[in-house]
Every structure is written in structure tokens, then in C-alpha cells.
Amino acid sequence: MKFDIMTLFPEMFETFKHSSIIGRAADKKGIIEINTVNIRDFSKSKQKKVDDAPYGGGMGMIMTFQPIYDTYLHITKSLDYKPKVIYMSPQGRVLTQKLAGELSECEHIIILCGHYEGVDERLIEEIVDEEISIGDYVLTGGELPAMVLIDSVARLLPGVLSKDECYLEESHSNGLLEYPQYTRPEMVNGRRVPEVLLSGHHENIRRWREEQSIKRTLKKRPDLLGRKDKF
Ligand code: 4G3
């Protein structure tokens, strides 16, 4: 799966692209490809300008049409299909495990990262297929949201997670929170591992974990229990 990122700050992605599970999936396994394209390289103004004041007045700067549109044309010029174009924006559909699963079916995704007060609305009309938000808060740019989206999607692709990493009982994968987990030693600061986990009785362990998942979700995230967008 290929990700092209349109951004003014490609350097923000350098560590992300090459680290941990994402780095291994890209560099060693070749399951994903992550490319950044610097929008400023496509500015036609002599000072490499990429933003301007809003029509109608008001605060802040808006990213202009031309550099972003030319970046998009550069990425897509030799393709015989249309990749999905996503704009990271506080106004978008909120990213959930279900949406990450849907996006993992895509072969090629282009992500537009905005800065300042956003981009000229005509870019959204002209090139954007879907506006996505990683949550109801505002950041200085769409770069961190883009990395969150890529991470959530890439880890669902076959082969990205190792056998140890890809347990199916994690939080949100079944609409519930994960049960509590313990590892050695059996006792720390006077706190023992729950007895049932040491019993070797697999059916009792399964029932205990299921009960813990439901109790925890009720206590920590009761909003999840009534939701229909379970993955
Ligand atoms: C567009 C995404 C982009 C308009 C982007 C600010 C938060 C998210 C930006 C705008 C962002 C998010 C850049 N902040 N919740 N900042 O996914 O006002």
C-alpha cells in the first residue's frame, strides 16, 4: 500500500517512516511505501509563497490553490487510476478502528496536511475525496494526524504485525476495551497476579478476561457499549 503525503514539513515524517513496526513494514518488508512531497517545491512565486490572507478579511493565512494542486498533479500524472485523497482536518469524519479498517482496503492514499487556518476551499472541492479528523481538538498542522492515520491503517495490513503483535483481543477490535494483562514477576510491591491467570484453566481464563473487558468498558468508556461502528 502506498501513501503520498503533501506537506510543508516533510522532515517531520523522517523518523516515523523508518522507526518501529512502520519502519520495518516499509524498509524491510516492503508492505507499505511512504513518500513525502514538499508543497513549497511547487510554488510558482519567486519567494516560494504558499499562503495568503483570507478574502473577506480576518485573522490567519490560508494555503493557496496553485502549489497544492500542482503537487497533486505531480503525484498523479502517470497513474491510470485515481488514488483516494484525504485531507486531515478538524472538520472531518472522526477516525475510528472501523474507518481505519475501511482505508486498509485502499491501494494508494494521498494525504494533504494543512497548516495555518486551512486550505482554499476549492482544493477540497477539486481534489479531496474525504476529510478525516483524528479527534475533536485543533493542532498546528495535519502532519501528526497523518502519521496517526497511517499507523492505524498500516498495522491492519497482512504481515505488518508479527504473530506476537497481532493478537485479536486488543482494545476496540471488538468494540470493547482490552482486559488487564500481567507478566513476570508474580508479585510486585505486594500486588499479586490474579490467581485465575496462573491456574492454567483456559476456559476460566477466557471467561475472566471477557468479564474484565465488559466491566472496564462500562467503567471507563460506557459510550462504546451503545455504538454501532464496531470493527
Ligand atoms: C485544517 C487536523 C487543517 C483546518 C488538522 C487546521 C487537527 C486535526 C488544520 C485547520 C489540524 C485533527 C491543521 N488539527 N483533529 N490542524 O485531525 O483549522
Side-chain angles (χ1 to χ4, degrees):
M1 180 168 188
K2 185 166 177 176
F3 297 94
D4 282 304
I5 303 150
M6 304 196 280
T7 174
L8 289 172
F9 302 97
E11 67 278 8
M12 288 181 71
F13 294 87
E14 283 311 304
T15 313
F16 171 69
K17 282 202 308 186
H18 300 295
S19 303
S20 185
I21 293 168
I22 296 300
R24 189 181 64 197
D27 301 334
K28 182 158 152 250
K29 297 179 172 175
I31 302 168
I32 56 170
E33 187 183 329
I34 302 173
N35 294 316
T36 52
V37 187
N38 192 337
I39 294 165
R40 197 174 297 280
D41 292 344
F42 292 85
S43 172
K44 286 198 166 104
S45 84
K46 42 190 165 293
Q47 335 89 164
K48 297 271 166 210
K49 220 171 128 62
V50 291
D51 62 336
D52 211 331
Y55 277 117
M59 296 241 306
M61 296 290 267
I62 308 300
M63 290 174 73
T64 59
F65 187 92
Q66 179 272 318
I68 294 173
Y69 191 65
D70 288 350
T71 305
Y72 169 76
L73 292 180
H74 170 78
I75 293 167
T76 55
K77 62 175 179 258
S78 58
L79 302 176
D80 59 0
Y81 59 88
K82 198 197 160 331
K84 183 184 276 291
V85 180
I86 294 171
Y87 176 45
M88 304 312 305
S89 146
Q91 299 183 32
R93 173 178 171 198
V94 176
L95 181 64
T96 59
Q97 196 63 37
K98 179 178 136 87
L99 178 52
E102 289 170 21
L103 295 173
S104 71
E105 303 290 319
C106 294
E107 211 40 68
H108 188 176
I109 290 178
I110 299 175
I111 304 176
L112 172 58
C113 302
H115 254 260
Y116 315 109
E117 307 307 308
V119 303
D120 189 301
E121 186 67 20
R122 291 165 294 185
L123 282 160
I124 297 168
E125 298 165 4
E126 198 74 27
I127 70 170
V128 172
D129 297 305
E130 191 152 21
E131 269 184 85
I132 296 179
S133 166
I134 62 161
D136 291 335
Y137 41 84
V138 180
L139 303 170
T140 55
E143 283 77 11
L144 289 168
M147 289 186 245
V148 168
L149 182 138
I150 292 168
D151 193 289
S152 71
V153 171
R155 64 185 292 288
L156 299 178
L157 300 175
V160 168
L161 298 185
S162 70
K163 204 146 107 254
D164 282 356
E165 289 156 350
C166 75
Y167 55 102
L168 265 157
E169 299 189 333
E170 66 198 2
S171 292
H172 296 291
S173 65
N174 57 1
L176 294 174
L177 299 182
E178 196 181 324
Y179 46 77
Q181 306 245 53
Y182 302 85
T183 186
R184 278 186 281 274
E186 268 186 50
M187 170 112 94
V188 280
N189 289 9
R191 297 168 186 276
R192 292 192 53 77
V193 173
E195 204 55 47
V196 61
L197 299 178
L198 309 174
S199 70
H201 193 306
H202 300 299
E203 183 54 20
N204 284 353
I205 292 170
R206 192 198 59 73
R207 274 199 296 265
W208 181 84
R209 284 176 166 169
E210 183 178 60
E211 177 187 293
Q212 291 294 316
S213 271
I214 294 165
K215 280 185 175 160
R216 271 195 166 194
T217 310
L218 205 52
K219 179 146 194 263
K220 297 187 184 185
R221 291 294 307 279
D223 58 299
L224 291 178
L225 290 167
R227 265 167 55 173
K228 282 192 257 299
D229 66 346
K230 293 181 177 122
F231 180 54

